[in-house]
Amino acid sequence: MTYPIRPIDESEWPAYTRVLDEGFNWRPQPRQAERWKAQTELDRTLAAFDGDLIAGVTSILSFTMTVPGGRLPVAGVTSVSVLPSHRRRGILSALMRRQLADVRERGESVAALYASESAIYGRYGYGRASQSLFFRIDKTRSAFVKNAPTDPSLRIRVASPADVRADLESLFASVATRRPGRYDRKPAIWDDVLADEEADQHGNGPLRSVLAEDDGGLRGYALFRVKADWDTNGLPAGELKLQELEATDPAAYALLWRSILDRDLVSEIQSGGRPVDDPLIALVADQRRLCARMHDELWIRLVEVDKALAARAYSASVDVVIEVEDDVCPWNAGRWRLTADPAGAKCKQVEDEPDVTLPVSALGSAYLGAGLLAESLEAGLLREHTPGSVRALATAMSWSPKPWAGLVF
């Protein structure tokens, strides 16, 4: 069977959300649904139809994302689901192919997503491009190293997040350009970040904020909730759930973390996803106390290989012919010469013998500056025809700081 695919219109919103309800086992409360709808771009929201029934869906949020050396438009793929009754009929594949063709037509060379199931998206050319750490920290063992940065001009101020929203937005915009993977936040996204209905709290209390500032203004903020609790001996056993912590400089960053770690009536701090090179790792004196687990974060897909590779910066010079395997976006399949140095990059299609053959997902994985090119070679997932070419490519594509988006879309 074939399932016609087209963008939905306003009248089809309820049917669209029912597919996601079934797929994700989550039914938002009315205010949550309103915020979700406000972020949705209906003209970029595709549905596959079985007669009048919406059987599968996917959507895109239009972002500007930081990549090594700059920023570029990126298609943020989200809300991908197929009704349980219509699985294994090719609906997901048809949706993903149509979506990628639409992304190319709009002139976006890169797509990105968070994967609810990490085994799915490699088959469509996405590669795991960043990871995040989730910390559980015993506050009694959270002392900093003696040379942790300080600034006597800084002070901490407690504020209601809603009251300082404009300041939070401005500070975030100033730091989002520093790390690959960070993307711009439109007002509807900030509505979600600062949402504080009971359904948003999940039993963890109201959203709180502390600010690090000096006479010149805001230099950092932290957003968090505290789940109050007491143990059987009557001792405080609260859990602080850190949602975000952003700062413009090391002293403000250290002061904010110190404020979080020293919170009264709290015994444990749990952080949301943090970058794998989070400076907190260097600040804490006893690093073994930073109990952390790692999770995949952004997945990246090069929609147009030549444009995407030419749009980013490189850490070292490289001249390599890459044979790209891509059966989902056939316009990418072929041989491409990447010539790059820290001053700029060019990528053009050639007929030269390749130095390395790889799936397009491997380039997506490496695109933001991390990736697993060397590991994939050792695993036999890449074919190196010119010795040393994979190492040269991996070195050139590496970047510091490591990629991290910090907010699921």
Side-chain angles (χ1 to χ4, degrees):
M1 296 180 64
T2 58
Y3 299 89
I5 296 173
R6 63 168 174 79
I8 67 170
D9 60 35
E10 180 81 22
S11 68
E12 293 164 325
W13 176 258
Y16 165 76
T17 61
R18 281 196 293 272
V19 177
L20 294 171
D21 178 13
E22 292 292 339
F24 290 97
N25 305 310
W26 175 68
R27 182 167 299 173
Q29 296 299 309
R31 291 290 296 275
Q32 292 176 314
E34 290 173 13
R35 298 197 306 267
W36 174 23
K37 186 176 182 180
Q39 294 181 47
T40 302
E41 300 174 39
L42 292 181
D43 63 326
R44 306 201 73 179
T45 300
L46 298 174
F49 288 82
D50 183 0
D52 294 331
L53 176 71
I54 295 181
V57 297
T58 185
S59 186
I60 282 176
L61 304 178
S62 304
F63 292 139
T64 299
M65 181 175 284
T66 302
V67 301
R71 310 198 83 204
L72 77 161
V74 168
V77 177
T78 187
S79 300
V80 182
S81 189
V82 175
L83 284 176
S85 57
H86 286 67
R87 300 278 168 82
R88 295 176 177 82
R89 299 189 190 183
I91 293 175
L92 178 59
S93 293
L95 282 166
M96 298 304 286
R97 289 173 182 271
R98 164 65 185 274
Q99 185 179 65
L100 288 167
D102 289 355
V103 170
R104 184 192 187 204
E105 186 175 337
R106 285 186 177 240
E108 295 159 331
S109 59
V110 175
L113 58 79
Y114 276 84
S116 55
E117 294 185 71
S118 59
I120 293 176
Y121 293 97
R123 74 183 79 154
Y124 303 113
Y126 288 84
R128 189 192 71 197
S130 66
Q131 295 176 283
S132 59
L133 293 177
F134 293 78
F135 294 123
R136 296 179 70 96
I137 308 168
D138 179 352
K139 65 170 288 185
T140 63
R141 303 298 181 91
S142 65
F144 280 176
V145 294
K146 291 183 178 180
N147 60 336
T150 60
D151 182 343
S153 70
L154 276 169
R155 55 184 176 269
I156 286 289
R157 177 163 68 95
V158 175
S160 168
D163 292 343
V164 293
R165 172 170 172 162
D167 293 329
L168 304 184
E169 291 186 24
S170 178
L171 185 132
F172 179 84
S174 73
V175 300
T177 59
R178 299 180 179 181
R179 184 184 291 273
R182 308 308 303 265
Y183 59 91
D184 62 316
R185 294 182 180 178
K186 299 176 182 178
I189 294 178
W190 274 104
D191 289 344
D192 218 34
V193 170
L194 300 179
D196 206 23
E197 303 288 327
E198 185 176 352
D200 303 306
Q201 295 177 7
H202 302 289
N204 295 316
L207 186 66
R208 305 175 186 274
S209 69
V210 290
L211 313 179
E213 57 188 12
D214 60 17
D215 291 343
L218 186 65
R219 286 167 54 181
Y221 70 84
L223 297 174
F224 61 96
R225 302 180 189 275
V226 177
K227 183 178 181 180
D229 199 6
W230 303 82
D231 67 17
T232 55
N233 296 316
L235 297 175
E239 296 178 353
L240 188 149
K241 318 275 188 174
L242 180 67
Q243 181 172 306
E244 289 192 358
L245 193 152
E246 305 286 351
T248 61
D249 60 274
Y253 176 89
L255 182 63
L256 284 166
W257 263 113
R258 198 65 264 159
S259 176
I260 292 296
L261 294 168
D262 291 344
R263 184 82 179 187
D264 287 340
L265 305 183
V266 167
S267 61
E268 181 177 270
I269 288 81
Q270 300 178 17
S271 77
R274 302 293 303 169
V276 295
D277 56 352
D278 195 314
L280 179 67
I281 299 169
L283 280 174
V284 173
D286 187 353
Q287 295 177 4
R288 292 183 182 180
R289 301 296 175 175
L290 283 177
C291 299
R293 60 181 174 87
M294 187 176 290
H295 201 285
D296 62 280
E297 209 214 16
L298 280 179
W299 292 65
I300 294 292
R301 212 291 181 197
L302 303 193
V303 181
E304 291 199 87
V305 164
D306 56 335
K307 293 180 180 179
L309 291 180
R312 56 154 290 175
Y314 293 81
S315 294
S317 299
V318 66
D319 185 353
V320 61
V321 176
I322 306 166
E323 184 172 42
V324 177
E325 299 171 331
D326 191 346
D327 59 359
V328 176
C329 298
W331 55 84
N332 283 329
R335 297 173 182 178
W336 305 88
R337 179 178 288 277
L338 172 64
T339 307
D341 59 37
K346 295 179 181 179
C347 187
K348 63 179 182 178
Q349 197 157 25
V350 297
E351 296 182 358
D352 301 347
E353 289 299 309
D355 296 304
V356 58
T357 299
L358 47 70
V360 71
S361 59
L363 286 177
S365 176
Y367 187 71
L368 294 180
L372 300 169
L373 290 176
E375 294 87 342
S376 295
L377 177 63
E378 292 297 320
L381 303 177
L382 314 180
R383 300 194 299 278
E384 185 179 59
H385 311 293
T386 302
S389 58
V390 170
R391 176 180 292 180
L393 180 61
T395 299
M397 296 188 76
S398 65
W399 201 259
S400 181
K402 296 297 184 184
W404 175 69
L407 182 65
V408 177
F409 52 84

